[in-house]
Amino acid sequence: MSKQLTPSILNLVPVREGGNAKDAFKDMVDLAEHVDGSDYKRYWVAEHHNTTSIASSATRQLIHHILHHTEHIRVGSGGVMLPNHSPLIVAEEFGTMHAIFGDRLDIGLGRAPGTDMRTASAIRRNNHDGVYTFGSEVEEIRKYLSDEKTQVVAFPGNGTEIPLYILGSSTDSAHLAARLGLPYAFAAHFAPDHMEAAFKIYEQEFEASDQLAEPYKIACLNVIMADTDEEAKHLSTTMAQFVLNVIRGGGKKLQPPVSDMESIWSPPERQIVESRFPVAIMGSEATALERLRLFQNKFGADEIMAVSYIYDKDAQKYSYDLFEKVVRKYNGR
């Protein structure tokens, strides 16, 4: 029997056309409430800056907001982009949420700033080496959250042992996740090319830790499902427009689906956008189950963290419902 697979959700908190940041936060909570108590194990919020199409700049405040409106699902960062933040402040803020809401928190840590370098300098003016000190800062956070005595105490935070996760979109962070014995989440929803190599490095170099005895691989994938393949393909044009907007450096909000993309993108743009889709799970239940099995035969993830850029909020929730069913079928339930 194949390993049991866990479903989770990553939300970038996109702002839909016709809406604003307040609407995006309402949509974020609405989806969290919808999946609370379901098979979905965790609900993570990303961190992005200097864009008007994504409202997830103040990640920890959004995590607190979600925790306040849910009771069961784990909530965390996908991730805290560590070059932008002091390790002590990260430990204290998550420790404070732990004191309020209990053991429902995850801290996903990324080594990139999650924005352009000019914005990164504006965020953390005195730290130009954050990418290069990522490993030591992860260890610093782990010490702050442990029972280990430190000269500076993170309170609230110390002794909480909030689990840490290493995020990656290339092979670099795979070495660190393996050395520290931490779960590893790969961002295949926007950078799928190096996932196979990164997972192999992580598994081969993994060293057990107090947090984790064996490698644990999370694959972040684009998931768009509907009753038919045709409907899912139609819904996916919202995602295609979103990726195209990123490529063009625009600030368009999340757009409704369209019947034809050919009038929107050029042939080279289409090639670039579609290169982001090779590991996506899209289609009906039957199609998605087949694609999931093919994906697992190759990558053997322990967890799929689904990202769904769908304009219609009810269609998005339904897509997550369908994916939950697909994972159940994959697990033989």
Side-chain angles (χ1 to χ4, degrees), residues 186-197 199 218-225 239 272-283 287-288 290-301 303-307 323:
F186 194 90
H189 61 293
F190 72 86
D193 293 345
H194 301 289
M195 180 165 59
E196 184 174 11
F199 276 170
I218 302 174
C220 298
L221 299 181
N222 296 304
V223 175
I224 298 176
M225 292 188 59
M239 177 180 169
I272 294 171
V273 172
E274 291 185 344
S275 70
R276 304 291 178 94
F277 282 76
V279 293
I281 296 177
M282 285 189 280
T287 299
E290 180 182 359
R291 291 188 178 186
L292 179 60
R293 284 173 174 157
L294 290 172
F295 176 86
Q296 283 296 87
N297 286 340
K298 184 175 182 179
F299 296 102
E303 186 170 331
I304 301 293
M305 185 163 280
V307 184
F323 186 61

Side-chain angles (χ1 to χ4, degrees), residues 21-189:
K22 184 176 182 179
D23 296 320
F25 300 149
K26 183 179 178 181
D27 297 343
M28 174 192 74
V29 168
D30 184 44
L31 178 60
E33 291 176 331
H34 180 73
V35 299
D36 193 32
S38 69
D39 289 351
Y40 285 101
K41 183 172 184 178
R42 59 187 106 246
Y43 188 101
W44 281 6
V45 179
E47 177 184 342
H48 291 85
H49 303 276
N50 194 28
T51 174
T52 56
S53 59
I54 295 174
S56 56
S57 55
T59 310
R60 271 101 81 195
Q61 285 86 338
L62 298 183
I63 291 170
H64 182 281
H65 192 45
I66 296 166
L67 285 165
H68 181 71
H69 286 87
T70 56
E71 296 181 0
H72 308 287
I73 198 165
R74 298 190 66 84
V75 186
S77 57
V80 169
M81 309 316 290
L82 202 48
N84 303 338
H85 307 284
S86 156
L88 175 62
I89 296 299
V90 172
E92 289 176 337
E93 291 189 351
F94 274 90
T96 298
M97 289 189 285
H98 186 279
I100 297 170
F101 298 104
D103 183 22
R104 284 205 290 135
L105 281 158
D106 300 323
I107 306 178
L109 297 167
R111 66 186 295 272
T115 188
D116 59 274
M117 295 313 297
R118 178 179 295 180
T119 306
S121 295
I123 293 170
R124 197 174 176 191
R125 296 175 183 272
N126 297 323
N127 182 22
H128 300 289
D129 301 319
V131 171
Y132 307 104
T133 58
F134 179 55
S136 62
E137 293 195 341
V138 171
E139 299 234 46
E140 195 175 346
I141 291 175
R142 183 153 68 173
K143 287 181 180 179
Y144 283 139
L145 297 173
S146 72
D147 289 321
E148 183 177 337
K149 289 186 177 181
T150 54
Q151 289 183 327
V152 176
V153 178
F155 182 79
N158 66 308
T160 58
E161 304 287 354
I162 300 170
L164 304 181
Y165 297 74
I166 300 297
L167 278 58
S169 58
S170 66
T171 57
D172 293 339
S173 295
H175 298 282
L176 178 66
R179 178 171 63 82
L180 297 181
L182 294 176
Y184 182 52
F186 194 90
H189 61 293

Side-chain angles (χ1 to χ4, degrees), residues 223-284:
V223 175
I224 298 176
M225 292 188 59
D227 288 331
T228 66
D229 292 348
E230 291 75 17
E231 185 180 356
K233 184 177 180 180
H234 176 66
L235 293 175
S236 75
T237 59
T238 290
M239 177 180 169
Q241 292 176 83
F242 180 84
V243 177
L244 181 62
N245 180 57
V246 173
I247 293 169
R248 290 177 174 175
K252 282 187 175 182
K253 298 175 181 179
L254 198 68
Q255 299 294 306
V258 295
S259 57
D260 181 25
M261 284 292 299
E262 298 309 315
S263 61
I264 298 176
W265 57 19
S266 67
E269 287 175 332
R270 175 178 180 173
Q271 185 176 8
I272 294 171
V273 172
E274 291 185 344
S275 70
R276 304 291 178 94
F277 282 76
V279 293
I281 296 177
M282 285 189 280
S284 64

